[in-house]
Every structure is written in structure tokens, then in C-alpha cells.
Amino acid sequence: MESNNEGELDIIISNVVATFRTRCHLNLRTIALEGNNVIYKPEQGTVTMKLRKPRITANIWSSGKIICTGASSEDEAKLGARRLARCLQKLGFKVKFSAFKVVNVMAGCSMPFKISLIDFTKKNRPIATYEPELYPAAMYTMRQPKATIKVFSTGSVTILAPSVVNVAAAVQHVYPLLSECRRPL
């Protein structure tokens, strides 16, 4: 989370959300009774399964759609999804791993300076919003690359984007804008 001597920022990926399909119907009751590390939620129509390595949590629907959360990279998310599909195959389902897609990446970094949020929102008015009564950060929504950035006055920045590439591009785009709005020490 600290900046390097060369002016580069360390971006820490905290969560990668991915989806995939099994291309077969899943009996949630069978998964709940025979699977390991599962929580059956019949009122929601899902089973939650956790893997230890890689550390991911998956929500499983009877339609065969699965959402995996908690990975720290795109590769780890894919590995976890494939391991999950293998666990379901071992329970007797004819699972075919398909339609894998990373849908959301959450990352964070710290700027080497504090930021005046009021100045930041005034200079970037239509894109940036700041309502201190509702939330302590300024929201900056980018269309290209697609990303949502939360900027805190301490210099902490949280980025939500559909891929790791978009996260890096969003930080490169917003850094000069934040640098203009440095808060005096």
C-alpha cells in the first residue's frame, strides 16, 4: 500500500468475483448432504461452498450457475472455479466447465499525499460526487476504462472494475487529477 521511491503505486487486489456455468442441473440437497464445507440455504435456493486453497467462497444455484468470490487474482479465481467444478463432478454431477468470466475486481492503493475532496469534486464536477453526510469518500465514475473509484481524504483509494487491466488504467488516469488536489501538510 506504500508508494515506491520511483513514484510507482502498489495496487493491492483484495477481491475478484467470477462466474461460470456447469451446463447441467444441480441437486442442491445432494450437494448439501454429501459435499464438504457447505451451507444449504433453501429459502434462497442456493448452496454456499468454501474452498481452502485457493481461498474462495462459491454460491451455487440449481440451474448450474456459480459465482465465486474472494480470490486475490484472476488466475486464482479460475483455478478455484475449476476446483469447484471438480468437486461437483466427484459428487456425481455431469459438470462441464463453461462460460467462465471475471465480473468484478476490487483493489486499493494509498496515495503518498492527503487529498482535498472538495477541490477534487469541484474540478471534476460531472464525474465526481462528494456527499459527506452520506459517505466519507468522493465517488469518481469512469466510462472508459470502466471503473468506479472511491477517494478518501487520507489518500486511500478503492477501485471497482470489471478486470485487473481496468484497475491499473483507472489508477493511471486518476493519479494526476488527485495530485492537483493535494491537501497542504
Side-chain angles (χ1 to χ4, degrees):
M1 284 263 205
E2 298 300 316
S3 62
N4 298 344
N5 294 341
E6 300 146 11
E8 294 181 7
L9 295 172
D10 291 336
I11 301 170
I12 310 296
I13 297 172
S14 57
N15 189 17
V16 176
V17 180
T19 64
F20 74 96
R21 295 199 171 272
T22 61
R23 289 177 32 193
C24 70
H25 179 77
L26 301 172
N27 186 339
L28 299 182
R29 186 167 161 73
T30 303
I31 297 169
L33 292 173
E34 298 175 19
N36 294 328
N37 298 322
V38 296
I39 300 168
Y40 184 34
K41 300 176 182 172
E43 67 279 354
Q44 293 178 355
T46 65
V47 168
T48 301
M49 182 182 278
K50 293 187 178 195
L51 295 180
R52 290 194 183 119
K53 202 168 194 176
R55 188 180 294 266
I56 65 164
T57 302
N59 288 332
I60 304 168
W61 280 266
S62 61
S63 65
K65 182 177 180 178
I66 299 176
I67 299 177
C68 302
T69 61
S72 58
S73 70
E74 290 180 346
D75 292 336
E76 192 176 284
K78 186 159 191 172
L79 176 67
R82 293 188 73 82
R83 282 201 59 218
L84 198 83
R86 186 73 180 124
C87 289
L88 294 172
Q89 282 177 340
K90 287 180 179 178
L91 291 175
F93 299 103
K94 296 184 187 309
V95 172
K96 292 184 180 123
F97 185 82
S98 69
F100 177 82
K101 183 180 178 188
V102 173
V103 292
N104 195 5
V105 176
M106 182 177 176
C109 68
S110 283
M111 298 294 155
F113 47 83
K114 295 185 185 298
I115 300 159
S116 171
L117 296 180
I118 294 171
D119 291 346
F120 176 70
T121 51
K122 281 181 183 175
K123 289 181 181 178
N124 304 291
R125 183 56 85 187
I127 302 169
T129 60
Y130 176 51
E131 298 180 34
E133 303 87 16
L134 301 177
Y135 194 68
M139 301 290 280
Y140 186 83
T141 307
M142 297 173 54
R143 292 201 198 286
Q144 198 63 34
K146 187 175 179 185
T148 301
I149 302 167
K150 297 176 187 175
V151 181
F152 294 87
S153 62
T154 59
S156 180
V157 176
T158 304
I159 306 103
L160 293 165
S163 70
V164 173
V165 174
N166 283 23
V167 168
V171 171
Q172 283 183 337
H173 174 81
V174 82
Y175 184 84
L177 302 175
L178 294 174
S179 185
E180 291 176 5
C181 302
R182 289 179 189 225
R183 204 166 67 197
L185 300 173

Tab-separated table of all heavy atoms in Angstrom, residues 1 10-15 104-111 115 120 135 137-142 147-161 166-167 170-171 174 178:
chain	number	residue	atom	x	y	z
A	1	MET	N	0.809	-1.203	0.000
A	1	MET	CA	0.000	0.000	0.000
A	1	MET	C	0.851	1.264	0.000
A	1	MET	O	0.315	2.328	-0.078
A	1	MET	CB	-0.890	0.022	1.240
A	1	MET	CG	-2.045	-0.911	1.133
A	1	MET	SD	-3.438	0.032	0.604
A	1	MET	CE	-4.744	-0.925	1.233
A	10	ASP	N	1.673	0.890	-5.309
A	10	ASP	CA	1.361	-0.525	-5.173
A	10	ASP	C	-0.149	-0.680	-5.112
A	10	ASP	O	-0.795	-0.154	-4.204
A	10	ASP	CB	1.994	-1.103	-3.904
A	10	ASP	CG	3.503	-1.183	-4.003
A	10	ASP	OD1	4.014	-1.246	-5.129
A	10	ASP	OD2	4.169	-1.189	-2.950
A	11	ILE	N	-0.710	-1.395	-6.072
A	11	ILE	CA	-2.148	-1.650	-6.107
A	11	ILE	C	-2.374	-3.044	-5.543
A	11	ILE	O	-1.830	-4.020	-6.060
A	11	ILE	CB	-2.692	-1.542	-7.543
A	11	ILE	CG1	-2.414	-0.142	-8.110
A	11	ILE	CG2	-4.178	-1.860	-7.579
A	11	ILE	CD1	-2.696	-0.018	-9.591
A	12	ILE	N	-3.150	-3.142	-4.479
A	12	ILE	CA	-3.429	-4.414	-3.830
A	12	ILE	C	-4.820	-4.886	-4.235
A	12	ILE	O	-5.815	-4.210	-3.955
A	12	ILE	CB	-3.380	-4.277	-2.277
A	12	ILE	CG1	-2.111	-3.572	-1.820
A	12	ILE	CG2	-3.555	-5.633	-1.615
A	12	ILE	CD1	-0.833	-4.276	-2.091
A	13	ILE	N	-4.900	-6.040	-4.884
A	13	ILE	CA	-6.190	-6.615	-5.264
A	13	ILE	C	-6.735	-7.377	-4.066
A	13	ILE	O	-6.081	-8.277	-3.543
A	13	ILE	CB	-6.051	-7.541	-6.486
A	13	ILE	CG1	-5.585	-6.716	-7.687
A	13	ILE	CG2	-7.362	-8.245	-6.780
A	13	ILE	CD1	-5.224	-7.528	-8.891
A	14	SER	N	-7.924	-7.001	-3.618
A	14	SER	CA	-8.491	-7.627	-2.420
A	14	SER	C	-9.585	-8.642	-2.721
A	14	SER	O	-9.841	-9.524	-1.912
A	14	SER	CB	-9.023	-6.560	-1.465
A	14	SER	OG	-9.975	-5.763	-2.115
A	15	ASN	N	-10.241	-8.541	-3.880
A	15	ASN	CA	-11.327	-9.466	-4.197
A	15	ASN	C	-11.552	-9.531	-5.699
A	15	ASN	O	-11.622	-8.507	-6.361
A	15	ASN	CB	-12.621	-9.031	-3.487
A	15	ASN	CG	-13.723	-10.048	-3.599
A	15	ASN	OD1	-13.506	-11.205	-3.925
A	15	ASN	ND2	-14.943	-9.622	-3.322
A	104	ASN	N	-15.963	-8.754	-11.628
A	104	ASN	CA	-15.663	-7.606	-10.780
A	104	ASN	C	-14.322	-7.803	-10.098
A	104	ASN	O	-14.018	-8.895	-9.637
A	104	ASN	CB	-16.766	-7.418	-9.735
A	104	ASN	CG	-16.709	-6.068	-9.070
A	104	ASN	OD1	-15.905	-5.218	-9.434
A	104	ASN	ND2	-17.566	-5.867	-8.097
A	105	VAL	N	-13.546	-6.728	-10.019
A	105	VAL	CA	-12.272	-6.733	-9.312
A	105	VAL	C	-12.281	-5.543	-8.359
A	105	VAL	O	-12.581	-4.421	-8.770
A	105	VAL	CB	-11.076	-6.615	-10.289
A	105	VAL	CG1	-9.767	-6.528	-9.530
A	105	VAL	CG2	-11.061	-7.786	-11.248
A	106	MET	N	-11.962	-5.810	-7.097
A	106	MET	CA	-11.870	-4.734	-6.108
A	106	MET	C	-10.403	-4.611	-5.686
A	106	MET	O	-9.772	-5.601	-5.330
A	106	MET	CB	-12.734	-5.036	-4.893
A	106	MET	CG	-12.712	-3.950	-3.861
A	106	MET	SD	-13.839	-4.378	-2.526
A	106	MET	CE	-13.533	-3.049	-1.426
A	107	ALA	N	-9.891	-3.394	-5.762
A	107	ALA	CA	-8.492	-3.153	-5.422
A	107	ALA	C	-8.371	-1.860	-4.634
A	107	ALA	O	-9.299	-1.047	-4.602
A	107	ALA	CB	-7.652	-3.081	-6.691
A	108	GLY	N	-7.231	-1.683	-4.017
A	108	GLY	CA	-6.994	-0.466	-3.249
A	108	GLY	C	-5.543	-0.049	-3.340
A	108	GLY	O	-4.660	-0.856	-3.636
A	109	CYS	N	-5.300	1.231	-3.126
A	109	CYS	CA	-3.932	1.747	-3.055
A	109	CYS	C	-3.950	3.027	-2.226
A	109	CYS	O	-4.996	3.611	-1.978
A	109	CYS	CB	-3.351	1.978	-4.445
A	109	CYS	SG	-4.114	3.296	-5.382
A	110	SER	N	-2.779	3.425	-1.775
A	110	SER	CA	-2.657	4.657	-0.995
A	110	SER	C	-1.810	5.656	-1.750
A	110	SER	O	-0.708	5.329	-2.200
A	110	SER	CB	-1.999	4.376	0.357
A	110	SER	OG	-2.916	3.790	1.221
A	111	MET	N	-2.327	6.860	-1.884
A	111	MET	CA	-1.560	7.937	-2.499
A	111	MET	C	-0.543	8.431	-1.473
A	111	MET	O	-0.814	8.405	-0.265
A	111	MET	CB	-2.478	9.087	-2.913
A	111	MET	CG	-3.515	8.720	-3.944
A	111	MET	SD	-2.735	8.319	-5.493
A	111	MET	CE	-3.968	7.263	-6.205
A	115	ILE	N	-5.678	14.274	0.371
A	115	ILE	CA	-6.423	14.870	-0.734
A	115	ILE	C	-7.544	15.763	-0.206
A	115	ILE	O	-8.239	15.402	0.740
A	115	ILE	CB	-7.024	13.758	-1.619
A	115	ILE	CG1	-5.907	12.883	-2.172
A	115	ILE	CG2	-7.863	14.328	-2.748
A	115	ILE	CD1	-6.343	11.527	-2.610
A	120	PHE	N	-11.277	18.368	-5.298
A	120	PHE	CA	-11.330	17.288	-6.290
A	120	PHE	C	-12.692	17.243	-6.976
A	120	PHE	O	-12.774	17.128	-8.199
A	120	PHE	CB	-11.000	15.952	-5.620
A	120	PHE	CG	-11.113	14.766	-6.533
A	120	PHE	CD1	-10.192	14.575	-7.551
A	120	PHE	CD2	-12.129	13.848	-6.373
A	120	PHE	CE1	-10.297	13.479	-8.409
A	120	PHE	CE2	-12.241	12.749	-7.214
A	120	PHE	CZ	-11.316	12.570	-8.235
A	135	TYR	N	-21.504	9.602	2.837
A	135	TYR	CA	-20.356	8.698	2.724
A	135	TYR	C	-19.073	9.521	2.796
A	135	TYR	O	-19.004	10.608	2.207
A	135	TYR	CB	-20.448	7.944	1.386
A	135	TYR	CG	-19.533	6.759	1.290
A	135	TYR	CD1	-19.730	5.635	2.075
A	135	TYR	CD2	-18.463	6.772	0.401
A	135	TYR	CE1	-18.889	4.547	1.977
A	135	TYR	CE2	-17.617	5.677	0.300
A	135	TYR	CZ	-17.842	4.570	1.094
A	135	TYR	OH	-17.002	3.489	1.002
A	137	ALA	N	-16.274	9.389	1.362
A	137	ALA	CA	-15.385	9.412	0.198
A	137	ALA	C	-16.057	10.079	-0.990
A	137	ALA	O	-17.274	10.124	-1.086
A	137	ALA	CB	-14.997	7.984	-0.188
A	138	ALA	N	-15.218	10.585	-1.892
A	138	ALA	CA	-15.706	11.111	-3.160
A	138	ALA	C	-15.787	9.951	-4.140
A	138	ALA	O	-14.903	9.102	-4.176
A	138	ALA	CB	-14.762	12.185	-3.685
A	139	MET	N	-16.857	9.905	-4.924
A	139	MET	CA	-17.039	8.849	-5.920
A	139	MET	C	-16.686	9.414	-7.292
A	139	MET	O	-17.185	10.474	-7.678
A	139	MET	CB	-18.493	8.373	-5.922
A	139	MET	CG	-18.975	7.827	-4.610
A	139	MET	SD	-18.251	6.273	-4.189
A	139	MET	CE	-19.232	5.212	-5.181
A	140	TYR	N	-15.848	8.702	-8.023
A	140	TYR	CA	-15.430	9.111	-9.364
A	140	TYR	C	-15.741	7.946	-10.293
A	140	TYR	O	-15.146	6.878	-10.183
A	140	TYR	CB	-13.937	9.434	-9.357
A	140	TYR	CG	-13.410	10.008	-10.648
A	140	TYR	CD1	-13.527	11.363	-10.916
A	140	TYR	CD2	-12.788	9.201	-11.587
A	140	TYR	CE1	-13.040	11.898	-12.095
A	140	TYR	CE2	-12.295	9.724	-12.768
A	140	TYR	CZ	-12.421	11.073	-13.013
A	140	TYR	OH	-11.944	11.608	-14.181
A	141	THR	N	-16.707	8.121	-11.196
A	141	THR	CA	-17.148	7.050	-12.080
A	141	THR	C	-16.630	7.300	-13.493
A	141	THR	O	-16.962	8.309	-14.104
A	141	THR	CB	-18.680	6.955	-12.088
A	141	THR	OG1	-19.135	6.858	-10.743
A	141	THR	CG2	-19.150	5.745	-12.865
A	142	MET	N	-15.832	6.348	-13.983
A	142	MET	CA	-15.246	6.464	-15.318
A	142	MET	C	-16.002	5.544	-16.282
A	142	MET	O	-16.402	4.451	-15.909
A	142	MET	CB	-13.768	6.038	-15.283
A	142	MET	CG	-12.907	6.905	-14.405
A	142	MET	SD	-11.236	6.257	-14.230
A	142	MET	CE	-10.726	6.070	-15.912
A	147	ALA	N	-14.749	1.899	-14.635
A	147	ALA	CA	-14.292	1.749	-13.247
A	147	ALA	C	-15.008	2.753	-12.355
A	147	ALA	O	-15.425	3.816	-12.812
A	147	ALA	CB	-12.783	1.957	-13.147
A	148	THR	N	-15.150	2.400	-11.095
A	148	THR	CA	-15.659	3.302	-10.076
A	148	THR	C	-14.571	3.445	-9.020
A	148	THR	O	-14.056	2.448	-8.512
A	148	THR	CB	-16.945	2.755	-9.434
A	148	THR	OG1	-17.918	2.585	-10.460
A	148	THR	CG2	-17.477	3.696	-8.376
A	149	ILE	N	-14.238	4.688	-8.690
A	149	ILE	CA	-13.147	4.957	-7.762
A	149	ILE	C	-13.694	5.715	-6.568
A	149	ILE	O	-14.407	6.705	-6.720
A	149	ILE	CB	-12.046	5.790	-8.455
A	149	ILE	CG1	-11.535	5.025	-9.679
A	149	ILE	CG2	-10.921	6.107	-7.499
A	149	ILE	CD1	-10.704	5.848	-10.612
A	150	LYS	N	-13.359	5.226	-5.369
A	150	LYS	CA	-13.718	5.920	-4.135
A	150	LYS	C	-12.440	6.541	-3.588
A	150	LYS	O	-11.457	5.845	-3.329
A	150	LYS	CB	-14.293	4.939	-3.117
A	150	LYS	CG	-15.579	4.286	-3.554
A	150	LYS	CD	-16.026	3.258	-2.536
A	150	LYS	CE	-17.226	2.494	-3.055
A	150	LYS	NZ	-17.614	1.415	-2.153
A	151	VAL	N	-12.471	7.849	-3.402
A	151	VAL	CA	-11.295	8.589	-2.954
A	151	VAL	C	-11.559	9.114	-1.549
A	151	VAL	O	-12.530	9.842	-1.322
A	151	VAL	CB	-10.991	9.771	-3.906
A	151	VAL	CG1	-9.761	10.523	-3.448
A	151	VAL	CG2	-10.850	9.293	-5.332
A	152	PHE	N	-10.689	8.758	-0.609
A	152	PHE	CA	-10.811	9.223	0.774
A	152	PHE	C	-9.817	10.352	1.016
A	152	PHE	O	-8.778	10.430	0.351
A	152	PHE	CB	-10.554	8.067	1.744
A	152	PHE	CG	-11.598	6.987	1.683
A	152	PHE	CD1	-11.484	5.943	0.779
A	152	PHE	CD2	-12.708	7.023	2.515
A	152	PHE	CE1	-12.450	4.949	0.700
A	152	PHE	CE2	-13.676	6.039	2.445
A	152	PHE	CZ	-13.544	4.998	1.536
A	153	SER	N	-10.109	11.215	1.963
A	153	SER	CA	-9.251	12.379	2.231
A	153	SER	C	-7.864	11.976	2.729
A	153	SER	O	-6.913	12.739	2.602
A	153	SER	CB	-9.923	13.310	3.247
A	153	SER	OG	-10.102	12.641	4.467
A	154	THR	N	-7.725	10.781	3.281
A	154	THR	CA	-6.424	10.302	3.779
A	154	THR	C	-5.471	9.930	2.652
A	154	THR	O	-4.295	9.706	2.885
A	154	THR	CB	-6.617	9.067	4.669
A	154	THR	OG1	-7.259	8.051	3.902
A	154	THR	CG2	-7.428	9.395	5.903
A	155	GLY	N	-5.988	9.834	1.422
A	155	GLY	CA	-5.180	9.421	0.288
A	155	GLY	C	-5.446	7.982	-0.110
A	155	GLY	O	-4.917	7.489	-1.091
A	156	SER	N	-6.286	7.305	0.650
A	156	SER	CA	-6.647	5.932	0.331
A	156	SER	C	-7.644	5.924	-0.820
A	156	SER	O	-8.577	6.722	-0.851
A	156	SER	CB	-7.251	5.268	1.558
A	156	SER	OG	-7.609	3.950	1.278
A	157	VAL	N	-7.427	5.005	-1.769
A	157	VAL	CA	-8.272	4.927	-2.950
A	157	VAL	C	-8.731	3.475	-3.123
A	157	VAL	O	-7.923	2.556	-3.036
A	157	VAL	CB	-7.499	5.390	-4.211
A	157	VAL	CG1	-8.334	5.232	-5.454
A	157	VAL	CG2	-7.051	6.828	-4.055
A	158	THR	N	-10.032	3.279	-3.365
A	158	THR	CA	-10.596	1.961	-3.635
A	158	THR	C	-11.144	1.966	-5.055
A	158	THR	O	-11.858	2.886	-5.436
A	158	THR	CB	-11.722	1.629	-2.638
A	158	THR	OG1	-11.204	1.729	-1.316
A	158	THR	CG2	-12.260	0.243	-2.853
A	159	ILE	N	-10.798	0.909	-5.812
A	159	ILE	CA	-11.198	0.838	-7.216
A	159	ILE	C	-12.049	-0.403	-7.450
A	159	ILE	O	-11.672	-1.490	-7.020
A	159	ILE	CB	-9.969	0.784	-8.149
A	159	ILE	CG1	-9.029	1.959	-7.870
A	159	ILE	CG2	-10.387	0.796	-9.605
A	159	ILE	CD1	-7.825	1.600	-7.101
A	160	LEU	N	-13.182	-0.236	-8.120
A	160	LEU	CA	-14.031	-1.351	-8.551
A	160	LEU	C	-14.071	-1.321	-10.072
A	160	LEU	O	-14.444	-0.300	-10.652
A	160	LEU	CB	-15.442	-1.211	-7.999
A	160	LEU	CG	-15.596	-1.337	-6.497
A	160	LEU	CD1	-16.961	-0.827	-6.062
A	160	LEU	CD2	-15.427	-2.765	-6.073
A	161	ALA	N	-13.680	-2.444	-10.701
A	161	ALA	CA	-13.642	-2.503	-12.156
A	161	ALA	C	-13.891	-3.935	-12.617
A	161	ALA	O	-13.758	-4.863	-11.829
A	161	ALA	CB	-12.283	-2.008	-12.662
A	166	ASN	N	-8.363	-2.854	-16.225
A	166	ASN	CA	-9.125	-1.621	-15.999
A	166	ASN	C	-8.735	-0.957	-14.683
A	166	ASN	O	-8.732	0.268	-14.588
A	166	ASN	CB	-10.622	-1.912	-16.009
A	166	ASN	CG	-11.174	-2.110	-17.401
A	166	ASN	OD1	-10.444	-2.444	-18.316
A	166	ASN	ND2	-12.466	-1.921	-17.555
A	167	VAL	N	-8.417	-1.739	-13.659
A	167	VAL	CA	-7.987	-1.180	-12.376
A	167	VAL	C	-6.715	-0.367	-12.567
A	167	VAL	O	-6.620	0.790	-12.129
A	167	VAL	CB	-7.772	-2.296	-11.320
A	167	VAL	CG1	-7.047	-1.758	-10.099
A	167	VAL	CG2	-9.094	-2.916	-10.916
A	170	ALA	N	-7.372	2.797	-14.555
A	170	ALA	CA	-8.117	3.785	-13.768
A	170	ALA	C	-7.193	4.533	-12.814
A	170	ALA	O	-7.303	5.751	-12.655
A	170	ALA	CB	-9.241	3.108	-13.000
A	171	VAL	N	-6.270	3.820	-12.178
A	171	VAL	CA	-5.324	4.470	-11.260
A	171	VAL	C	-4.424	5.422	-12.032
A	171	VAL	O	-4.166	6.545	-11.585
A	171	VAL	CB	-4.502	3.423	-10.474
A	171	VAL	CG1	-3.378	4.083	-9.697
A	171	VAL	CG2	-5.408	2.649	-9.534
A	174	VAL	N	-6.513	8.585	-12.808
A	174	VAL	CA	-6.945	9.432	-11.698
A	174	VAL	C	-5.770	10.029	-10.898
A	174	VAL	O	-5.938	11.054	-10.238
A	174	VAL	CB	-7.925	8.662	-10.776
A	174	VAL	CG1	-7.204	7.772	-9.793
A	174	VAL	CG2	-8.852	9.615	-10.049
A	178	LEU	N	-5.770	13.624	-8.818
A	178	LEU	CA	-5.631	13.673	-7.357
A	178	LEU	C	-4.419	14.496	-6.951
A	178	LEU	O	-4.443	15.193	-5.937
A	178	LEU	CB	-5.522	12.258	-6.791
A	178	LEU	CG	-6.758	11.381	-6.947
A	178	LEU	CD1	-6.472	9.968	-6.490
A	178	LEU	CD2	-7.935	11.968	-6.188
